Amino acid sequence: MTANDPPFDNRDGYIWFNGNIMPWRTCQVHMLTHALHYGGAVFEGIRAYDGQCFKLNAHSERLIRSANMLDMTLPYTAEHLNEACREILKLNQIKNGYVRPLAWRGCEEMGLSNQRSSINVAIAAWSWPSYFSDDLHKTGIKMIVSPWRRPPATTAPVHAKASGLYVVGTLSKNMAERQGAHDALFYDYRGFVAEGTGANIFMVQEGKLHTPIPDCFLSGITRQTVITLAQRRGIEVIERQIRPEELANASEVFLTGTAIEITPIAEIESSKFTVGLMTQRLADDYREETLKKSG
């Protein structure tokens, strides 16, 4: 998105809302919606390439799992959600874009308990060719280290794609941009490398691909795809705990995520990296993978 794009509440198009199609501008919720006050919401981000959603069923199934972790049983199956995503893409005439399903607790009661609050689901979609510019995909982005850390799995539903878990991501992303960077790197509660504000991280050392064990954050669908693509090329993938000082010895580092796809990193604080051959090849493989029919 750019500064010239219209605000998200004032656009043409349609949104799928609890099984109905609504004009974009009239799709609203009440200010006493439980999720707005207490964070009871889960969401997905799905990329569309040439009018087809990539890994659609995996995203729909994860939305359902995330909802279950927040004590919500969605009133739709993965198949229903898949069809709704396809429908809203077609109605909005989007070829290359982004699909955002969201599930949340409604406004029937106010307070920490929400067992009588309705469970709502909406799906929006908009055109979004690329998160970062083509130049940054060639040169790499700049990152700082966030002062916040990812919590242990005993303190939050860390494997749910839950809205409330992204508060520190927003704080860290804003901080990074104010300092002239593009994103921030999180350590986990033990001090090991974890992830970016909304993406997983990989590093290349001596021809091998290393990535943190996702025991206190999401193992992203793009992360899983990249691991498969690397193994298909015969690249050894090592999932392990990574100490921050090890990043200085990496030859290449990159982020993976549905929104950012595969994005190379040029520097993290004082450590600098090149956009190397492995990153480029995996990015090419990923682009080819997204153009296959996927559901």
Side-chain angles (χ1 to χ4, degrees), residues 52-122:
Q52 299 285 330
C53 290
F54 184 58
K55 302 281 186 179
L56 176 56
N57 197 62
H59 283 286
S60 294
E61 289 183 343
R62 188 173 66 179
L63 184 73
I64 292 170
R65 290 197 305 273
S66 293
N68 290 341
M69 292 179 200
L70 266 65
D71 199 24
M72 294 191 292
T73 300
L74 298 191
Y76 304 102
T77 66
E79 290 75 16
H80 288 141
L81 295 170
N82 292 344
E83 185 55 38
C85 288
R86 296 186 186 105
E87 182 180 12
I88 210 65
L89 263 184
K90 185 176 180 180
L91 279 173
N92 288 311
Q93 301 180 18
I94 294 171
K95 288 293 185 181
N96 298 300
Y98 197 73
V99 184
R100 171 52 58 88
L102 175 72
W104 71 97
R105 288 280 189 176
C107 56
E108 287 75 12
E109 60 182 332
M110 180 50 58
L112 285 173
S113 175
N114 63 9
Q115 296 181 71
R116 294 190 299 275
S117 295
S118 61
I119 297 172
N120 302 272
V121 181

Side-chain angles (χ1 to χ4, degrees), residues 180-195:
H182 303 96
D183 202 2
L185 175 68
F186 281 110
Y187 298 157
D188 69 18
Y189 63 99
R190 297 158 297 202
F192 294 119
V193 173
E195 61 174 351

Side-chain angles (χ1 to χ4, degrees), residues 163-180:
S163 299
L165 296 176
Y166 285 79
V167 171
V168 292
T170 296
L171 292 172
S172 301
K173 180 87 168 175
N174 289 347
M175 180 183 298
E177 291 178 348
R178 285 195 294 268
Q179 295 183 25

